[in-house]
Amino acid sequence: MRRVLTALEVPVLIAVPAALAACAVLDLGQSALLSALVACAALLVFMGGWEQSKPAPRQVMPTVVLAALAAAGRILFAPIPSFKPVTAICIIAGIMFGKRSGFMVGALAALASNFFFGQGPWTPWQMYAWGLSGYVAGTLAARGIFERHPRAVYAWGFVAPLVFGALLNGWYIIGFVRPLEPATIALAYAAGVPLDILHSVATELFLLLLYAPWVRKLTRIRDKYALRFEAGGV
């Protein structure tokens, strides 16, 4: 089962934006619900794979702690829309502890913090989008991209919030914008651009503040307790 779930990770990640695009093109009834079900299926694949891997408590702890810090940071900065440390912490988690840990940090942070902000049909989308930020970071780290090109961390830190915004805006558009035409789609996306840019700027600032000191501390913890996840790290 674990191998099956692992093999499904990339297909389900791709299936979510593909479902959004299909719903937009076909203008299906109940598009928001249909695409949300695909997002939920992706989350179940990752959570099932995490459970099937049967990680030891010492391996679970870094992911849980980072998710809690991300959720607390989101709540702390609640008065400032889109100015949150969540994406930066997901990226750090993915780099330090692997792509699955990065995904779980994003998913758990969104779920936990929404007990404060309010749960709703947007929750699985936030879980998926923040999880994707950490997953991609972990994948790039495993391939040595960040080691060879340290500035690539900040490049992904700027792009990841734009991807987050595109996914959340896409879900909103197919579910609630009518008529679904190029002009209305463009206007809806344009309305979200300022907040998406602010999200990117915030992520860059939090990476500048947190990345180097957290990586040093997390590296010591990872080495001291022999934590070995997917290949990656710094």
Side-chain angles (χ1 to χ4, degrees):
M1 178 61 72
R2 180 184 174 186
R3 291 182 179 179
V4 172
L5 292 172
T6 299
L8 286 174
E9 286 179 358
V10 173
V12 297
L13 286 177
I14 296 172
V16 176
L20 273 179
C23 288
V25 171
L26 300 175
D27 195 9
L28 300 174
Q30 299 297 321
S31 292
L33 176 61
L34 291 171
S35 57
L37 290 175
V38 177
C40 289
L43 294 170
L44 288 174
V45 166
F46 275 91
M47 291 180 176
W50 181 264
E51 191 276 334
Q52 285 291 318
S53 68
K54 296 179 172 58
R58 65 178 181 175
Q59 293 176 302
V60 173
M61 191 58 65
T63 299
V64 172
V65 170
L66 288 172
L69 289 171
R74 186 184 179 203
I75 294 169
L76 179 64
F77 287 91
I80 310 174
S82 294
F83 195 90
K84 307 290 185 286
V86 182
T87 306
I89 295 175
C90 293
I91 290 171
I92 293 170
I95 292 172
M96 292 307 306
F97 299 113
K99 58 190 180 183
R100 294 181 188 91
S101 180
F103 188 94
M104 292 303 296
V105 166
L108 293 174
L111 180 63
S113 59
N114 276 358
F115 284 103
F116 174 84
F117 290 100
Q119 303 289 352
W122 51 84
T123 298
W125 286 101
Q126 292 172 333
M127 293 173 67
Y128 168 83
W130 267 319
L132 182 65
S133 299
Y135 189 91
V136 172
T139 301
L140 295 174
R143 296 181 179 179
I145 301 298
F146 297 142
E147 187 175 357
R148 295 193 300 271
H149 308 286
R151 293 182 180 178
V153 173
Y154 299 96
W156 177 238
F158 190 84
V159 171
L162 301 181
V163 174
F164 180 97
L167 289 166
L168 270 292
N169 292 335
W171 165 75
Y172 168 78
I173 287 167
I174 65 169
F176 304 101
V177 173
R178 291 294 182 275
L180 199 60
E181 298 174 348
T184 57
I185 292 173
L187 286 172
Y189 268 115
V193 166
L195 291 177
D196 295 339
I197 295 296
L198 179 59
H199 188 179
S200 290
V201 171
T203 301
E204 295 290 273
L205 291 175
F206 282 114
L207 283 174
L208 287 169
L209 290 171
L210 302 178
Y211 183 69
W214 281 30
V215 163
R216 286 195 296 270
K217 290 181 175 64
L218 292 172
T219 298
R220 288 198 294 269
I221 292 170
R222 189 181 63 184
D223 294 343
K224 179 179 179 179
Y225 295 102
L227 301 176
R228 291 292 175 262
F229 298 79
E230 305 96 340
V234 293

